[in-house]
Amino acid sequence: MLDEAKMRRLAMIQYMYTMAVDQSHKPEPLNMVAILLFHDVVELFLALASEYLGAGKTGQAFMDYWEAINQKLPSKDFGQKDSMSRLNAARANWKHHGIRLSTTEIDDFRTNVATFFRENIPKVFGIAFEEISMAILVQDEEVRDRLLKAEQLSSTGEIKAALKETAIAFRDLFYRLEWRVFEQESVHLRGISSRRFSSHVERSAPRELSSFAKEIEKELNTLHEQVQLLSLGIDYRHYIRFQWLAPTVHLMNGTYELIIDGHGQTHQDYLFCYHFVIECALRLQEIQFA
């Protein structure tokens, strides 16, 4: 049975893996950074597996882990050595000699690393790669519970219901943040709180200018939202995609109600939304309150 500390390390490995996958989809030459990330996340897993199995000193040469780990596995079938040897060579060629890879080759390594994790995590830890919960990294208990519920729903194919839980988790994150900012009464933190005078412009405008004022109010709200997210280090492009995929929910009388259904349909849509909320939660956890 894995203890919480090792499960958290596995969750961080999975998080870094999703970062590498995202980087691999970027246009050339930005996708080259994915090679470094893929190598780092595989090496992190090798060190954890070696420590968990008591296979010897961690920090050994990348390719030496296979022999050490196989000595501890009854089946001696720790896999994907050849493909990870190619990754190791590609990383060295890029990092030390500036030899770039084509997009097709990077796509192949993305597939290889996914296979490496799906094949070896069950052999070492007795769980599937998809069973690792990144929600353990979220400190807020209620938000974490929402994400765990989303995981459960997605595992049974209830994608729409899982997407709704991610939308609620996202709203909960920001409601709690804004409440904490309000409690602190900090001038420095007001920029990340919600607008306090929403609809003020529209209500104050003369009747003949009400339509124009409504448009101004809409633009002000959008601008404030952009500044808020950017100041928190959240990728606004990812937020736009999240808005498109996830449903719109509002808190009414203590319960979240579905207002507008999202466009998400697939498990990949759900995974994007789930990972986006995890990333937002980690960003918000960085904020220091007195």
Side-chain angles (χ1 to χ4, degrees), residues 38-168:
F38 279 135
H39 188 277
D40 283 350
V41 74
V42 169
E43 192 165 26
L44 280 170
F45 175 77
L46 292 172
L48 177 59
S50 179
E51 179 183 329
Y52 179 72
L53 295 171
K57 183 180 177 182
T58 59
Q60 56 193 302
F62 186 81
M63 296 310 302
D64 290 345
Y65 278 105
W66 269 259
E67 182 180 354
I69 291 173
N70 269 327
Q71 289 178 1
K72 294 293 182 177
L73 287 180
S75 57
K76 301 189 183 301
D77 62 345
F78 194 68
Q80 297 300 309
K81 183 176 181 179
D82 289 343
S83 63
M84 293 303 101
S85 178
R86 291 194 300 273
L87 174 65
N88 190 45
R91 176 255 190 188
N93 286 336
W94 165 240
K95 184 175 181 179
H96 300 294
H97 307 292
I99 300 174
R100 287 172 51 182
L101 299 174
S102 68
T103 296
T104 300
E105 290 173 304
I106 292 172
D107 291 345
D108 288 341
F109 280 125
R110 182 175 63 241
T111 300
N112 291 339
V113 172
T115 303
F116 168 83
F117 283 126
R118 289 194 171 92
E119 182 177 330
N120 289 318
I121 286 177
K123 292 175 183 176
V124 176
F125 296 105
I127 59 173
F129 184 43
E130 292 77 10
E131 290 180 302
I132 299 170
S133 174
M134 285 168 51
I136 196 174
L137 302 173
V138 177
Q139 294 174 358
D140 188 294
E141 185 176 348
E142 292 193 32
V143 173
R144 183 171 64 247
D145 287 345
R146 288 286 182 184
L147 291 170
L148 289 171
K149 186 176 180 182
E151 290 175 10
Q152 204 171 34
L153 290 165
S154 71
S155 69
T156 59
E158 298 177 73
I159 299 301
K160 285 291 187 182
L163 283 166
K164 181 181 177 183
E165 292 301 321
T166 66
I168 294 173

Side-chain angles (χ1 to χ4, degrees), residues 107-251:
D107 291 345
D108 288 341
F109 280 125
R110 182 175 63 241
T111 300
N112 291 339
V113 172
T115 303
F116 168 83
F117 283 126
R118 289 194 171 92
E119 182 177 330
N120 289 318
I121 286 177
K123 292 175 183 176
V124 176
F125 296 105
I127 59 173
F129 184 43
E130 292 77 10
E131 290 180 302
I132 299 170
S133 174
M134 285 168 51
I136 196 174
L137 302 173
V138 177
Q139 294 174 358
D140 188 294
E141 185 176 348
E142 292 193 32
V143 173
R144 183 171 64 247
D145 287 345
R146 288 286 182 184
L147 291 170
L148 289 171
K149 186 176 180 182
E151 290 175 10
Q152 204 171 34
L153 290 165
S154 71
S155 69
T156 59
E158 298 177 73
I159 299 301
K160 285 291 187 182
L163 283 166
K164 181 181 177 183
E165 292 301 321
T166 66
I168 294 173
F170 180 80
R171 290 298 159 205
D172 256 355
L173 270 176
F174 280 88
Y175 284 146
R176 294 175 192 283
L177 173 69
E178 288 164 5
W179 181 250
R180 290 173 74 191
V181 171
F182 176 75
E183 286 182 323
Q184 292 292 315
E185 297 183 348
S186 171
V187 174
H188 304 292
L189 294 175
R190 282 180 189 167
I192 61 174
S193 63
S194 59
R195 288 189 65 216
R196 295 178 183 272
F197 302 106
S198 182
S199 302
H200 179 73
V201 174
E202 184 181 350
R203 290 198 307 269
S204 302
R207 182 176 298 178
E208 60 271 19
L209 295 176
S210 61
S211 178
F212 177 63
K214 186 175 182 179
E215 289 302 313
I216 292 177
E217 188 68 42
K218 181 180 176 182
E219 293 302 319
L220 284 173
N221 286 334
T222 300
L223 181 61
H224 182 85
E225 181 182 74
Q226 291 171 339
V227 171
Q228 181 189 40
L229 294 171
L230 291 172
S231 67
L232 292 168
I234 295 170
D235 191 317
Y236 192 72
R237 294 167 301 174
H238 287 179
Y239 171 67
I240 293 298
R241 185 180 175 194
F242 174 80
Q243 275 195 311
W244 171 258
L245 294 174
T248 300
V249 295
H250 282 310
L251 189 61

Side-chain angles (χ1 to χ4, degrees), residues 262-273:
H263 293 83
Q265 300 285 341
T266 67
H267 187 67
Q268 283 302 116
D269 292 337
Y270 154 73
L271 283 178
F272 173 84
C273 293

